[in-house]
Structure formats: C-alpha cells, structure tokens
Amino acid sequence: MRAAIAGASGYAGGELLRLLLGHPLEIGALTAASSAGSLLGAHQPHLPLLADRVIEPTTADVLRGHDVVFLALPHGQSAAVATELGDGVLVVDCGADFRLADPAEWELFYGGAHAGTWPYGLPELPGQRDLLRGTRRIAVPGCYPTAVTLALFPAFAAGLVEPDVVVVAASGTSGAGRSPKVNLLGSEVMGSVSAYGAGGAHRHTPEMVQNLSAVAGREVRVSFTPTLAPMSRGILATCTAPAAPGLTAAGLRETYETAVKDEPFLHLLPEGAWPATAMTLGANTAVMQVALDERAGRVVVVIAIDNLTKGTAGGAIQSANLALGLPEEAGLPLNGVAP
Amino acid sequence: MRAAIAGASGYAGGELLRLLLGHPLEIGALTAASSAGSLLGAHQPHLPLLADRVIEPTTADVLRGHDVVFLALPHGQSAAVATELGDGVLVVDCGADFRLADPAEWELFYGGAHAGTWPYGLPELPGQRDLLRGTRRIAVPGCYPTAVTLALFPAFAAGLVEPDVVVVAASGTSGAGRSPKVNLLGSEVMGSVSAYGAGGAHRHTPEMVQNLSAVAGREVRVSFTPTLAPMSRGILATCTAPAAPGLTAAGLRETYETAVKDEPFLHLLPEGAWPATAMTLGANTAVMQVALDERAGRVVVVIAIDNLTKGTAGGAIQSANLALGLPEEAGLPLNGVAP
Amino acid sequence: MRAAIAGASGYAGGELLRLLLGHPLEIGALTAASSAGSLLGAHQPHLPLLADRVIEPTTADVLRGHDVVFLALPHGQSAAVATELGDGVLVVDCGADFRLADPAEWELFYGGAHAGTWPYGLPELPGQRDLLRGTRRIAVPGCYPTAVTLALFPAFAAGLVEPDVVVVAASGTSGAGRSPKVNLLGSEVMGSVSAYGAGGAHRHTPEMVQNLSAVAGREVRVSFTPTLAPMSRGILATCTAPAAPGLTAAGLRETYETAVKDEPFLHLLPEGAWPATAMTLGANTAVMQVALDERAGRVVVVIAIDNLTKGTAGGAIQSANLALGLPEEAGLPLNGVAP
Amino acid sequence: MRAAIAGASGYAGGELLRLLLGHPLEIGALTAASSAGSLLGAHQPHLPLLADRVIEPTTADVLRGHDVVFLALPHGQSAAVATELGDGVLVVDCGADFRLADPAEWELFYGGAHAGTWPYGLPELPGQRDLLRGTRRIAVPGCYPTAVTLALFPAFAAGLVEPDVVVVAASGTSGAGRSPKVNLLGSEVMGSVSAYGAGGAHRHTPEMVQNLSAVAGREVRVSFTPTLAPMSRGILATCTAPAAPGLTAAGLRETYETAVKDEPFLHLLPEGAWPATAMTLGANTAVMQVALDERAGRVVVVIAIDNLTKGTAGGAIQSANLALGLPEEAGLPLNGVAP
C-alpha cells in the first residue's frame, strides 16, 4: 500500500514522512504548493533518505492512485481534493475542515462555509475505534484538543468533575506552522513565553467543547488560554475542573489508572511525578498526571504530548492504521528522544 | 547611604547588585555562605565593575554598619540576622520567612516555627504604600504571588469576579535558584515545559490566597499550577476567575485602566495584544492584558514580569525606596531588554 | 540635542531607543518604511515609555532638524539620506555602506556602486578616537568585525601573531534582522547550531581583513565561518592565528592586559576563565580571554559581545558620544543582564 | 543475544536504551552507581516501556551472563569491569579509557595510569571495519573526535590539506553529562554560548591528533576550541586546514563525494547548503559540507552530528553490530527528529 503526502514541505508533512519511513506504508507522491518542483532535501534536511525526491504540485491527478492520502493543507482546501479522489481512497485530513459538527461553530471560528464532518481521529475516546475501523475519511484532531480531550475524558466519563473547565496550555512553535511571520522568529520566541488567542478566541476551543460535552453528556464550558513557549515541539496542558461532591484522591487515581491501562499511547506517571514535554519528544505517547486539590476543590490533570507526533502526524497514522486494518501501533514510536 | 547584600553569589543577589549599580545607594558588604572568600567576578561575571570585590561570610558583624541590608538567603535564616542587626537598620528580606500572617499556614507549607510577619513589599496593593514608608522591615513577596496579586487585585477590589481562582504560570529557571540539581540542568530544561508542585502543593499558594482574600474581603480559593519553561527569566501567569453577574467587557477594561493609570510599573497593553515575558526582561515592569470570556463566563488576566526584577530584586528595591524616602522609581528600569 | 532614529521598528532601532532612553540625547523622530503610521508599541513592546509614539516615514524632511540621525536601514539606502541632510548633522550609519575603503571589495561582496568611506566607529582601534572626535559622519562597524577586530588588534599591533587568521563565530539570531524568513523561525533555530556563509562568502570578511591588515601593516588573511546559535543576542568569536616565533604565554597576557587597561568597554577575564555571551547581555562590554596553545603553535583569543549593543547600537552611541563631545561612556551600560 | 548497560541512569545510558529498544539485542541488566535500587522511569521518563525496570548496582556479577556489555561510566572504571567479565563477552566502552595509544598522552590529559588500547570504534576510518569485525573489545570515540575525524579524514587521506588544523566546535550540554554543576544549569546555559577548555586543554585534543596523524601519515597539529551552546544535543564542528598546493574546489568536492558514497551514515549536503545540528537529532547520521576558501587558502569542512547518537551511543551500537556480525545499520535511525 502506498501513501501520498500533500503539504510535504511543512512541519506536519515532515513529521508524517519521518514516521512513514518506519511504517509498512510505502511513501508515494510528495506534493506542495509553492515548493513544487524543488527537492524534498531543501525543506526536510533531517530526512536524508528522501533528500532527492522531487516535490510535485498538490493536484488530484498527482494524489490519485495511492491507497492513502494524508492532507496537511491550510484549512478550507481539503474538501475539494477529497471529492476528486473519490470514496475508495483513505483520506486523512490533518487540517480543521471536518472536525466540527456544528456549522454555526465553524462559521463563528473559521468563517466561510462548513465542509462537513468526518470520523474524528482520536481512537482513545470511548467507542471511537469502532468508527475508525474501515473508514475512508478521517478528521485528525487539533493538537490542543488532542491533549485536552485525552486529559479530561476519563474524569468526565466517570462523572468526577463539574462542566466548568479551565485549560492553560504551552505549545512549541512548530504548532504555528512554517510560514514566516515576525512573531514566530527565533529572536522573538527564544527566552520568552507569550499568550495569544486568549479570552475564548482560539479556534481549538469549540473542538474541546464538542469533545468534552459528548463524553459528559451535557454542555461543558471551557476557558482556554494558549501560550507559546521557547521550544520547537511539545504541548503541556494544565486542565482543571471543579471536583464532583465526594470525590476522593484515591477514586480519582483509580479512574485514571483504569482509563490508561489498555491504551498503548497513554502513560500515567507514578504519583508525585509531573509531566514534561521532553518525555514525549518524537513519540506518539501522551504522559499524564492527575491530582485532587482539596483546598481549591478542583481536579488538576497535566498532560504532555508532542504536538507534531501524537498531536498531528502520529495521531493521523494511528487512526489510519485502524482504518487500514493494520496494528494500531504500526510505525509509531512509544519512546521519546531525550534529553 | 550604604547597602549590604547577603547572598551575593546567587541569582537574587546578582540582580540586586545589577540594579544597585544604577541606584543612589552605595554598595557595601557582599556576603555569602560557601562562596565566602572568593571574588564576586567568579560568580557574577556580568558585573565587571564589581569583579574584584571579595565576598565575606554572612554574619551580623559584617552586615552591621549599613543603612540597608538585603537578605537573599534560604528560608529560615533571616530572623536571626534581623534580630542581631537591631531596629535601626532597614532589613529587606527576599525570602519567605515574614510573608505569611497565619502561623498554621507557615507550618503547613514550610514546616518549622513561624518567624512572624513584616510589612509586605507590594506597593501597588491598596493602602500598602503607607505601610512601607519609613518601615525598617520589609517582606518581599514571592515571585509568583507578585504576578498573580498584581493581575487580580483590581478585579477583586472592584468586585468583578467570584473567589474561585485558577492560575497556571510559567517561570524561567532562575526562579529555582542556583543550587545545582539534575532537574534544573540545561539538558533537562531546554526544549521542555514541565509542571511541578501542582495540585495545591506549591508554597506560594497560601501567599496568593492571603493577598487576594485581603483585597476581596472574603476567602478566595486558588488552584495554582506552576510550570518550568525553557528560559532563564520571566513569569507569565494566566489568572482566571468567574465573572460576577452583569460584568461587561467595557466595565472590566475600564477598571484595569483606572488601576494602572498612576502606577509607574504597571502597563496595560492595548486591546488585542497579549503579554510576553520578553517585554519585561530586566525591567521592573508588569505587563498585563485582561479579557472577558463570555462563553466560559470567566475573566482572564495574563501578566508578565521578570521574576528576578519585579518578582524579587526590583520589587525589593522599590519597597526599600519607599522605606528610605527615595523616589519610588529610583534605580529601577522601566524598559526591558529585547529581543 | 535631539536624535532621530531611522529604522525604529527593527532590532537595531529598538536597541538604539532602549539605550537612548538612558542617554542625554533627547529622542526625536522615529521613522521606518512599511511600519510608518503605526505606534512604536506595536513593534517594541519592551519600551512602554515610548509605546504611544507614532512612527513616521523615513524621509529627509522628517529626519531634518535633529542634531544626530541614526540610520538603521538596509544597505544601499544611507548615502541618499545623508546627502539630503547636509554636513551639519551628525549621521551615524549602522549599515554597511561606508565601511569598506576598497570599491572592488564593496562590489565583490555587496554588488552595486561603492558609496564611499566614513570614519570607522571603533574607538578602541589605535588612533581612532582622534578621527571620531567632532566628525559628522560615522560608519558603525559590523557586529562580527567588531568582535574579531577587538579580539586581535592587540596581538597584531604588537606583532605577536602571523597574518593567517581563522575565526569561527556563533551569533544570536537578532544579527540576521527582523524580516521574516523560514530559516530564522524559532522552530528552525531552537535546539540547533548551523553554519552559513562559510568558505569566505560572508560580507563581513573583507571588513575584518581591512581592519586587521591596517593594524598589522601587512595583508592579513582571514578564514571566517559564521554560525547561528539558539539565542536571541550575543556573539562568541574564537579567533586564532599562528604565534610569532618566541612568543611566551606571559608576554601574550601582558600585551592584552596593557591593551584593555584604559579601555572602559574591554574586559579581560582572570586567567583560566573563558567568555560567555551571557556576560555581556545588554551591555556595551566586550569580554575576552587569550591563551597560547604551544602544541598547536597558535594564539587563541575568545571574545564575547552583545551583537545589538557593542556590536551595533551601543557601538554607534559610543562613537556618537565622541563626535558630540560627550563622555564616551554616556548612556552605555557596563554591566550585563544575567542569568 | 542480550545486552547489559552500565550507567543506565545517565545520558549516554539513556540513549543506548532508546536505540536498543529498536534493535535485535534484548535489553538485559541495567546498572548504575548511586541510582541503584531505583526504577529506570525515575531517570529516563521518556522511555515508558522500561519505566518499571529496577536499576542494579554496577558489579561484574550483575553484568556477567550477557553477550554484550555497554559501559557508560566515569573514566578510569572500565578496565576493572572488563577484566572481570573475561574475553568472551563483547565489552563496548563509551568512556575514554582505551582510546589513546600513547601512555604519555593519557597521563598528560587524564592523569593516572594508562589502561591500554582497544580497537577504535569509528568504522568509517580506512581499514577500521576489519579491525572491528569479531572483536570483543571496542573503545568508542569521544564525541568531538568523532565529528572532527569524520570531517577531515577524506582530506588527509587524499593529501589535500596541510597538517595544521583549526577546529572550533559547539556542543549541546548533554555532552557534559548529568552530574549537577552550576555552570550546566539551565539558567546559565540558555541564551548563552561559552568557550571552555580552550588553548589546547581539552582532553579530546590528543584523540583528534592521533586519528588525523594516522590517516595523514605524519604528525598533525590541532588547535581545538570547544564551546557550549544552548541546546541539549548536537555538535557542529568547523574544521579548517591549509589547502595543499594546486587543490581545486572541484577536486575537493569529488574527494568528499567519493568518501561518503558508500557510507550509510555520512551525508554530504548539496553545494551551497551548510549543516545544522537539527538535521541529525536522534539520528546516527553525520551531515557535512566542504568548501575551498581560495582567499584564505584553507579548506573548510563543517560537520553536524548528534553527540549522544553518532557521537556516543549510536556509534557504540554501530561498532557493536560489526563485532557481532549484525548488519551495520541495525537499530540505528538514519533520519533525525526535526523541527
């Protein structure tokens, strides 16, 4: 089976390629927009095995004939490509186009017409694996929603928290993509942590609300503040919600131990240890810790992922593995690169 | 007037010296524990003007005879030194010993006997300048409580928020001091954001509760999660609390504009801009933004400070200026070093 | 006396403003090209005292009427502005246009017509202060040539080395300016040191050759390799040349001690200590160490400067101080910000 | 076949484990000194698959019974362990004990008695693979000598350069190990590049001299300046030597193209591109570029490696693969993790 990658010159595309080099899928066409015609080595010099591959333009003609097509495109472009490819091809969209079920939310946060909804590529959500097996369309979750949903779904599924969530997350700069902008220059981001899109403005907020409300079975409110940290990769999300009456620390821990027990990519740290993004660099693993703050009356879950691996390309491949009938862990590193 | 600095070989001591080199106070004795006998240049090579000064041991004999003594010592050591120095000397304690009013809180979070309470060195708090003018004892606030209290006191003073605060803050590594520990090695912290002391365990939590409860006039609950970011300096604190009924975005902004208007070290960004720690590097300035998240029903305040300047040494000098009858801004940079 | 700054929205412009806020010169017009019409606070948020100043377009009309005009413009634009301003105004060019004496070298490395040569703003060079006192034109040296020339002029002036220099220097990213480019994104530069312009291609090479040849009194060859390091500011240059016959370590050190003795901005570390760029952050200081490697037969000089301070804006102000008859140290920090 | 790792709680040990998790060797005993008795997860939290493994004390009894023993110990400790293990076991020493052939050099740079010399684990050196196949003792090269030798052996083997080498290299902090020291704290290293061990003092210098002299067939002089850069991993070494008479750029490039052609881990960039350490993160690859600087009369080779992978653990496994008769590439990533 062969895979094409649209958007091969960007960060998500590069991470897809790095992972696919160790995956049973064969790497077929590599495409991009403005980089078409250049060699991949000019954009992804950390992948010497692919250095001489020529990047082609992102057209249905080029992408056709593959068993899987991974799309790492700016939002708004995936629907047209998918339609042209037809229903027989597995299309995995790393963009936002097919994540939100509610057209009003889409229009409010993204503008323009809603493209539709595809099966949501977060296999750890209750019941989600069944929806992904054999599917030919996957909407890969956003990086922040991946972290926040994994952190809080066990608590909401078990009714341990009230639906009033506060999330503050730090992300590495690769989450903002590879388009050159002044605020993403090394000179601006090194030595500095900054907030952005705060006060409810970030586009990933409705996706978190959608996911957690579905698990909770009632409307969940989410106050989300993203921050940019001086590192290339990684998300550390601190997620809190009021503890339900009667919750104990032991009960909380037991719920999380049960939730992660059979999950290959979820790792709960021993009590007293807290996550660091370095624990997950290059791995498809989410590392978590949970505590009950009795004085503040809140449950606190901290989770670390690599935004490009579990948060984008690794998550995409994990769901694609399910869709293709491959082992879910195929080609996905469990161990990080540290220090 | 002459100042002595106890703890001159550490980060807080170095920052006190950097600022005092541009301050009307003359720099007198420099003391330390294990570094006594060595030259300051071996520890603070960024201060060539003081490179040849010999570090003396931290004893009352050495510190006596100065008009001001700044203590940057491990907690538990300041009370004895202050007693020996007597009431005539201004003693400014950068440590935690005299911050908390409640002995039970002290014992719970620090252990051992409570040393007492000194005037709290946060001049921006309502009524606080009067307590600091002419005092001979100052308890310099912790770095995190400085940020969080400055961020939220206007909202609590005006009754705009409910007393259920969630704070997540990122700190540079200098906040953890200069003692060598594996988890603070460059190899561990670079490229990584990590949580620590979460779930209500961090010692700065009761200080935040004390400050905000005093302003609010009722008990405030604080869920505080500190994180370590890959930068040497800076704190970015995201502080949220439920909006009081009827609060409007315009009313919120007006309250903050009024609160900072006459404050030399508080800077409210134009609407739409959010703080970055790089805006405050080496400056005694706190840079803030505030927003009302109507969907989540919460007020969000993000604040940036330099943990070593406004968060420690600059804050100490600002309060000392008031105690000594100097202009409050004497020797304190308003502008940061960026990029 | 009033100063105008052309290029106020860039990194060199921002550093000029930060330093001028503590300098006897009054800050007049701030100008830029594409940023004209916006507020300075949108570009230099670390300078709250100037946040509400409006940026004007860079025209002779706007710049006229000031006693000093600092130009921080892309190369090729300074000559026209200077001509329009006339001979009565002190024009300090932070660009490359007037540094090289040899038109052939200019054309080879920069292309286009040579604009001419102005007095070279490196006061530490033998005899240079006399050329700068009272001048109305100053060519500020490049950041790398500043470091390398300061490192090696004592050795060449004393005839201690052969004219076969190898320099490898690491620079922070601010040296590459504020124009957004993919290779300067935080995601690309963090966690990575990279070489560029190696093999003799970097434009600062002929400037080093010119300076060192003038001091040596004969043609000096320079192999220069610049590298980009994951930090915003700072240059660390390692400069080596074959030791002249008979040179001793003691003689070498004595020469350097003599060279720096009366220089306010040159600091020679105690024997055994080596420079770090953090020693100079935000300071106009150059920190050096020198050693004789007897086995390799080479003199090794390592020097650290802040590329934006001593390497650009601080150096510019230092020379301007001489031109204006002010104390050479006016407004220039001697101490760095660390850690 | 089973492998034991002595020094499993350090950085080299962690990298050996990360690589061995994808290698045909089974992971046996993990040992350490002061960490014995603790769980590996407390030290290497990026390796969740090994989190519950107990670290044992480093004794011959524990290490015995494995087919391969990797030693990542402080220098001076390997000889005793190897003797106790006997000749049948493959012992791979990541330390310095058996690298230098000349006892006088050992004593000068390391002090104490010379332990001997083992086959040197740099398969790319001419003739070296034959020495490594089937051996039961391997001395893994130092990280800097790995980079410098790989950069310059083609030029010396072909007689393209004179034996007067200047090397300046930047290393990530993991090269200095995991013992906590003030100068390795994140607060000290972030935002700063510093020199150390300059002037011929660094212990890796005689190893470079030994390697290059052997290839050149005459004594090579090396001026080596190491610097510490603000990153966890990676070495970028700039290596220059005077060009031999008549050398052309085309001839130089052809020599390097030939040298790397059949080497799985050496990658020569296209002309005009220069190495960055990010190209090699976590990979066993060395990325190079070469140029002839005709004005300066020198050949310049810049090379990037990951100091923990190709520079230590990956290099160790590569040589062990040869010794064990496994494919040389077994378990060794060719592609890096970027950005």
Side-chain angles (χ1 to χ4, degrees):
Chain A
M1 289 192 293
R2 291 171 71 239
I5 289 87
S9 59
Y11 293 144
E15 184 71 349
L16 282 163
L17 291 171
R18 181 180 74 88
L19 296 171
L20 289 173
L21 282 163
H23 187 275
L25 280 168
E26 186 189 339
I27 296 175
L30 312 181
T31 80
S34 60
S35 306
S38 59
L39 295 181
L40 190 80
H43 307 279
Q44 313 286 10
H46 60 298
L47 305 177
L49 289 178
L50 300 172
D52 296 331
R53 296 283 296 267
V54 178
I55 300 178
E56 300 177 81
T58 301
T59 65
D61 278 353
V62 173
L63 298 173
R64 203 168 286 131
H66 296 81
D67 303 278
V68 192
V69 175
F70 290 96
L71 302 178
L73 303 172
H75 75 79
Q77 303 185 1
S78 300
V81 175
T83 302
E84 289 201 70
L85 290 174
D87 291 345
V89 183
L90 172 58
V91 181
V92 184
D93 186 17
C94 296
D97 294 18
F98 298 95
R99 292 174 190 159
L100 294 184
D102 182 346
E105 290 287 271
W106 174 268
E107 282 158 33
L108 184 60
F109 281 88
Y110 291 90
H114 186 228
T117 314
W118 286 355
Y120 192 71
L122 196 61
E124 291 84 358
L125 275 182
Q128 201 67 15
R129 282 189 174 89
D130 289 341
L131 301 179
L132 292 167
R133 285 199 186 92
T135 183
R136 283 299 168 263
R137 293 292 184 270
I138 296 169
V140 179
C143 51
Y144 287 124
T146 295
V148 173
T149 306
L150 292 176
L152 289 178
F153 86 85
F156 276 111
L160 308 187
V161 290
E162 304 293 337
D164 186 20
V165 169
V166 176
V167 174
V168 180
S171 175
T173 53
S174 62
R178 205 172 199 172
S179 297
K181 294 175 189 155
V182 168
N183 67 310
L184 296 176
L185 286 174
S187 301
E188 309 279 324
V189 299
M190 288 188 285
S192 188
V193 173
S194 58
Y196 69 101
H202 195 280
R203 287 167 166 176
H204 284 177
T205 311
E207 192 178 340
M208 298 176 197
V209 168
Q210 171 178 293
N211 294 351
L212 297 178
S213 297
V215 176
R218 54 178 172 161
E219 185 71 13
V220 173
R221 299 198 301 177
V222 177
S223 162
F224 173 52
T225 304
T227 69
L228 200 65
M231 58 187 185
S232 292
R233 287 179 177 231
I235 285 177
L236 188 91
T238 301
C239 312
T240 85
L247 179 65
T248 63
L252 178 63
R253 179 145 192 108
E254 196 184 328
T255 296
Y256 273 78
E257 286 177 343
T258 303
V260 308
K261 198 179 38 175
D262 297 324
E263 288 295 339
F265 298 114
L266 303 188
H267 184 64
L268 183 67
L269 289 173
E271 290 186 67
W274 289 93
T277 62
M279 297 175 186
T280 67
L281 191 100
N284 203 50
T285 309
V287 175
M288 292 192 269
Q289 183 55 289
V290 60
L292 175 61
D293 181 343
E294 300 199 10
R295 287 192 154 205
R298 297 185 83 93
V299 167
V300 180
V301 189
V302 180
I303 189 167
I305 63 167
D306 184 321
N307 59 301
L308 287 180
T309 320
K310 180 62 179 163
T312 306
I317 291 171
Q318 183 184 350
S319 292
N321 286 342
L322 287 168
L324 297 168
L326 295 169
E328 188 174 336
E329 295 97 326
L332 295 171
L334 285 162
N335 295 290
V337 180
Chain B
M1 289 194 292
R2 292 171 70 239
I5 289 86
S9 59
Y11 292 145
E15 184 71 349
L16 282 162
L17 291 171
R18 182 181 74 90
L19 297 171
L20 290 173
L21 282 163
H23 187 275
L25 281 169
E26 187 189 338
I27 297 175
L30 312 181
T31 80
S34 60
S35 307
S38 60
L39 295 181
L40 190 78
H43 307 280
Q44 313 285 8
H46 61 298
L47 306 176
L49 290 178
L50 300 172
D52 296 331
R53 297 283 297 268
V54 178
I55 300 178
E56 300 177 82
T58 301
T59 65
D61 279 355
V62 172
L63 298 173
R64 204 169 284 131
H66 296 81
D67 303 277
V68 192
V69 174
F70 291 95
L71 302 178
L73 303 173
H75 76 80
Q77 303 185 1
S78 299
V81 175
T83 301
E84 288 201 71
L85 290 173
D87 293 344
V89 182
L90 172 57
V91 180
V92 184
D93 185 18
C94 296
D97 294 16
F98 299 96
R99 291 174 191 160
L100 294 183
D102 182 345
E105 290 288 272
W106 175 268
E107 283 159 33
L108 184 61
F109 281 88
Y110 291 90
H114 185 228
T117 314
W118 287 355
Y120 192 71
L122 196 61
E124 290 84 358
L125 275 182
Q128 201 68 13
R129 282 188 174 90
D130 289 341
L131 300 179
L132 292 168
R133 286 200 185 91
T135 184
R136 284 300 168 261
R137 292 291 183 270
I138 296 170
V140 178
C143 52
Y144 287 124
T146 295
V148 173
T149 307
L150 292 175
L152 289 178
F153 85 85
F156 275 110
L160 308 186
V161 290
E162 304 295 336
D164 187 19
V165 169
V166 176
V167 173
V168 180
S171 175
T173 52
S174 62
R178 205 173 199 170
S179 296
K181 293 174 190 157
V182 168
N183 67 312
L184 297 175
L185 286 175
S187 300
E188 308 279 326
V189 298
M190 288 188 285
S192 188
V193 173
S194 57
Y196 67 102
H202 195 281
R203 287 168 166 175
H204 284 178
T205 311
E207 193 179 339
M208 297 176 197
V209 168
Q210 171 179 292
N211 293 352
L212 296 177
S213 297
V215 175
R218 55 178 171 161
E219 186 70 12
V220 173
R221 300 199 299 177
V222 177
S223 162
F224 173 52
T225 305
T227 69
L228 200 65
M231 59 187 185
S232 292
R233 286 179 176 232
I235 286 177
L236 188 90
T238 300
C239 312
T240 85
L247 179 65
T248 64
L252 177 63
R253 178 142 192 110
E254 196 184 329
T255 297
Y256 273 78
E257 285 177 344
T258 303
V260 308
K261 197 177 43 173
D262 297 324
E263 287 296 339
F265 298 113
L266 303 188
H267 184 64
L268 182 67
L269 289 172
E271 290 186 65
W274 289 92
T277 62
M279 298 176 186
T280 67
L281 191 100
N284 203 50
T285 308
V287 175
M288 292 191 269
Q289 184 56 287
V290 61
L292 176 61
D293 181 343
E294 299 201 10
R295 287 192 155 205
R298 297 186 82 94
V299 168
V300 179
V301 190
V302 180
I303 189 166
I305 63 168
D306 184 320
N307 60 301
L308 288 180
T309 319
K310 181 62 179 166
T312 307
I317 291 172
Q318 183 184 350
S319 291
N321 286 341
L322 287 168
L324 297 168
L326 295 169
E328 188 174 335
E329 295 98 325
L332 294 172
L334 285 162
N335 296 291
V337 180
Chain C
M1 289 194 292
R2 292 171 71 238
I5 289 86
S9 59
Y11 293 145
E15 185 71 349
L16 281 163
L17 291 171
R18 181 181 75 88
L19 296 171
L20 290 172
L21 282 163
H23 187 276
L25 280 168
E26 187 189 338
I27 297 175
L30 312 182
T31 81
S34 60
S35 306
S38 61
L39 296 181
L40 190 78
H43 307 278
Q44 312 286 9
H46 60 298
L47 306 176
L49 289 179
L50 299 172
D52 296 330
R53 297 283 295 267
V54 177
I55 300 178
E56 300 178 82
T58 300
T59 66
D61 279 354
V62 172
L63 298 174
R64 205 169 283 130
H66 296 81
D67 303 278
V68 192
V69 174
F70 291 96
L71 301 178
L73 302 173
H75 75 81
Q77 304 186 2
S78 299
V81 175
T83 302
E84 289 201 70
L85 291 173
D87 292 344
V89 182
L90 171 58
V91 181
V92 184
D93 186 17
C94 296
D97 294 17
F98 298 96
R99 292 173 190 159
L100 295 183
D102 182 345
E105 290 287 272
W106 174 268
E107 282 158 33
L108 184 61
F109 281 90
Y110 292 90
H114 186 227
T117 314
W118 287 355
Y120 192 71
L122 196 60
E124 290 84 359
L125 276 182
Q128 202 68 13
R129 282 189 175 89
D130 289 341
L131 300 179
L132 292 167
R133 285 199 187 91
T135 183
R136 284 298 169 263
R137 292 291 183 271
I138 296 169
V140 179
C143 52
Y144 287 123
T146 296
V148 173
T149 308
L150 292 175
L152 289 178
F153 86 85
F156 276 110
L160 308 187
V161 290
E162 304 295 337
D164 187 19
V165 169
V166 176
V167 173
V168 180
S171 174
T173 52
S174 62
R178 204 173 200 171
S179 296
K181 292 174 191 158
V182 168
N183 67 312
L184 297 175
L185 286 175
S187 301
E188 308 279 325
V189 298
M190 288 188 286
S192 188
V193 173
S194 58
Y196 68 101
H202 195 279
R203 287 169 166 174
H204 284 177
T205 312
E207 193 178 339
M208 298 176 196
V209 168
Q210 171 179 291
N211 294 351
L212 297 178
S213 297
V215 175
R218 55 177 171 161
E219 186 71 12
V220 174
R221 299 198 301 176
V222 177
S223 162
F224 173 52
T225 305
T227 69
L228 199 64
M231 59 188 184
S232 292
R233 288 181 176 230
I235 286 176
L236 189 90
T238 301
C239 312
T240 85
L247 179 65
T248 64
L252 178 63
R253 180 146 191 105
E254 195 184 328
T255 297
Y256 273 79
E257 285 177 344
T258 303
V260 308
K261 198 177 44 175
D262 297 324
E263 287 297 339
F265 298 114
L266 303 188
H267 183 65
L268 183 66
L269 289 173
E271 290 186 68
W274 290 92
T277 62
M279 297 175 185
T280 67
L281 190 100
N284 202 51
T285 309
V287 174
M288 292 192 268
Q289 183 58 287
V290 61
L292 175 61
D293 181 344
E294 300 199 9
R295 288 192 155 206
R298 297 187 82 93
V299 168
V300 180
V301 190
V302 181
I303 188 166
I305 63 167
D306 184 320
N307 60 302
L308 288 181
T309 318
K310 181 61 178 164
T312 307
I317 291 172
Q318 182 184 351
S319 291
N321 286 341
L322 287 168
L324 298 168
L326 296 168
E328 189 174 334
E329 296 97 324
L332 294 171
L334 286 162
N335 295 291
V337 179
Chain D
M1 289 192 294
R2 291 171 70 240
I5 289 87
S9 59
Y11 292 146
E15 185 71 350
L16 281 163
L17 291 171
R18 181 179 75 87
L19 297 171
L20 290 173
L21 282 163
H23 188 275
L25 280 168
E26 187 190 339
I27 297 175
L30 312 181
T31 80
S34 61
S35 307
S38 59
L39 296 181
L40 189 79
H43 307 279
Q44 313 285 9
H46 60 300
L47 306 177
L49 290 178
L50 299 172
D52 296 331
R53 296 284 295 266
V54 178
I55 300 178
E56 300 177 82
T58 301
T59 65
D61 279 353
V62 172
L63 298 173
R64 203 169 285 130
H66 296 81
D67 303 277
V68 193
V69 175
F70 291 96
L71 302 178
L73 303 172
H75 75 80
Q77 303 186 1
S78 299
V81 175
T83 302
E84 290 201 68
L85 291 174
D87 292 343
V89 182
L90 171 58
V91 181
V92 184
D93 186 17
C94 296
D97 294 17
F98 299 95
R99 293 173 190 160
L100 294 184
D102 183 345
E105 291 288 271
W106 174 269
E107 282 159 33
L108 184 61
F109 281 89
Y110 291 90
H114 185 226
T117 314
W118 287 355
Y120 191 71
L122 197 60
E124 290 84 359
L125 276 182
Q128 202 68 15
R129 282 189 174 90
D130 290 341
L131 300 179
L132 292 167
R133 286 200 185 92
T135 183
R136 284 297 168 264
R137 292 291 184 269
I138 296 169
V140 179
C143 51
Y144 288 123
T146 296
V148 173
T149 307
L150 292 176
L152 289 178
F153 86 84
F156 275 111
L160 307 187
V161 290
E162 305 293 337
D164 185 21
V165 170
V166 176
V167 174
V168 180
S171 174
T173 53
S174 61
R178 204 172 199 172
S179 297
K181 293 174 190 158
V182 168
N183 67 312
L184 296 176
L185 286 175
S187 301
E188 309 279 324
V189 298
M190 288 188 285
S192 189
V193 174
S194 58
Y196 69 101
H202 195 279
R203 286 168 165 175
H204 285 178
T205 311
E207 193 178 339
M208 297 176 198
V209 168
Q210 171 178 291
N211 294 351
L212 297 177
S213 298
V215 175
R218 54 177 172 162
E219 185 72 12
V220 174
R221 299 198 301 176
V222 178
S223 162
F224 173 51
T225 305
T227 69
L228 199 65
M231 58 189 185
S232 292
R233 287 180 177 232
I235 285 177
L236 189 90
T238 301
C239 312
T240 86
L247 180 65
T248 64
L252 178 63
R253 179 145 192 107
E254 197 185 327
T255 297
Y256 274 78
E257 286 177 344
T258 303
V260 308
K261 199 178 40 175
D262 297 323
E263 287 295 342
F265 298 114
L266 303 188
H267 184 64
L268 183 66
L269 289 172
E271 291 187 66
W274 289 92
T277 61
M279 297 175 187
T280 67
L281 191 100
N284 202 50
T285 309
V287 175
M288 292 192 268
Q289 183 57 287
V290 62
L292 175 61
D293 181 344
E294 300 200 9
R295 290 193 153 205
R298 297 186 83 94
V299 168
V300 180
V301 190
V302 180
I303 190 166
I305 63 166
D306 184 321
N307 60 302
L308 288 180
T309 319
K310 180 62 179 164
T312 306
I317 291 172
Q318 183 184 350
S319 291
N321 286 342
L322 288 167
L324 297 168
L326 296 169
E328 188 175 336
E329 297 96 326
L332 294 171
L334 284 162
N335 295 290
V337 180

